[in-house]
Amino acid sequence: MKEIEYIGYAAGILTTLAFLPQALKVFRSKKTRDISLLWAVLMIAGVFLWLCYGYANRSLPIMIANGITLLLLMVIFVFKLRFK
Amino acid sequence: MKEIEYIGYAAGILTTLAFLPQALKVFRSKKTRDISLLWAVLMIAGVFLWLCYGYANRSLPIMIANGITLLLLMVIFVFKLRFK
């Protein structure tokens, strides 16, 4: 594996794991007022397309990273709709 | 360009543009309480690494998408530090 690929993996791990503390925060506080609904909607649409892109390209890292991110975004989205 | 590449571009545009309404929201409201600081920090680190990855691979779309996302994340981060 080329050295730069490790940078790509580290980037993917960070931008995926980032959504864990955000999902936990809204789960615990039940407060989502400062989170943009449009942000959540556009992210879900975009991350879903990344998932399709990873599947079409048979890229397991892209599929895993975006699959986890999509699940965490869905948690944030449901709480955003449920608790204003 | 292969058809699937259009999906990749659409995905990149959506997950980049998503941060615009979120940055505007915190800019206008000056309220960031429901946004996780750890989310912002991990996203900035990860998106910065994606920018390096795009530069190393001479991928202009990855550089543009992550450059814009990084700027918008910096706005959110500064407001998160300035206004609790």
Side-chain angles (χ1 to χ4, degrees):
Chain A
M1 194 160 77
K2 278 169 61 187
E3 211 170 10
I4 189 62
E5 294 305 310
Y6 289 106
I7 305 284
Y9 277 101
I13 289 168
L14 284 171
T15 53
T16 299
L17 279 190
F19 289 87
L20 192 59
Q22 182 63 73
L24 281 175
K25 188 178 178 77
V26 299
F27 184 80
R28 286 179 185 146
S29 70
K30 313 266 186 295
K31 292 208 173 83
T32 61
R33 200 186 48 183
D34 304 332
I35 293 170
S36 161
L37 178 63
L38 192 50
W39 168 80
V41 170
L42 292 174
M43 283 299 290
I44 286 170
V47 168
F48 174 72
L49 289 187
W50 277 128
L51 197 58
C52 298
Y53 182 83
Y55 180 74
N57 283 311
R58 300 288 179 275
S59 167
L60 198 59
I62 291 182
M63 287 170 70
I64 292 172
N66 286 285
I68 294 171
T69 306
L70 191 59
L71 284 177
L72 295 170
L73 278 167
M74 290 304 293
V75 172
I76 296 166
F77 179 66
V78 166
F79 274 77
K80 177 67 187 175
L81 293 183
R82 179 73 185 76
F83 306 95
K84 296 290 172 181
Chain B
M1 193 160 77
K2 280 170 61 186
E3 210 170 13
I4 189 63
E5 293 304 311
Y6 289 106
I7 306 283
Y9 276 101
I13 289 167
L14 283 171
T15 51
T16 299
L17 279 189
F19 289 86
L20 192 58
Q22 182 62 72
L24 281 175
K25 189 177 178 78
V26 299
F27 185 80
R28 285 180 186 146
S29 70
K30 314 266 186 294
K31 293 208 171 83
T32 61
R33 201 185 46 184
D34 304 333
I35 293 170
S36 161
L37 178 63
L38 192 50
W39 168 80
V41 169
L42 292 174
M43 284 300 289
I44 286 170
V47 168
F48 174 72
L49 289 187
W50 277 129
L51 196 59
C52 298
Y53 182 83
Y55 179 74
N57 283 311
R58 300 288 179 273
S59 168
L60 199 57
I62 292 182
M63 287 170 70
I64 292 171
N66 286 286
I68 294 170
T69 306
L70 190 59
L71 284 177
L72 294 169
L73 277 168
M74 290 304 294
V75 171
I76 296 166
F77 179 66
V78 167
F79 276 78
K80 177 67 187 174
L81 292 184
R82 181 71 184 78
F83 306 97
K84 295 292 172 179

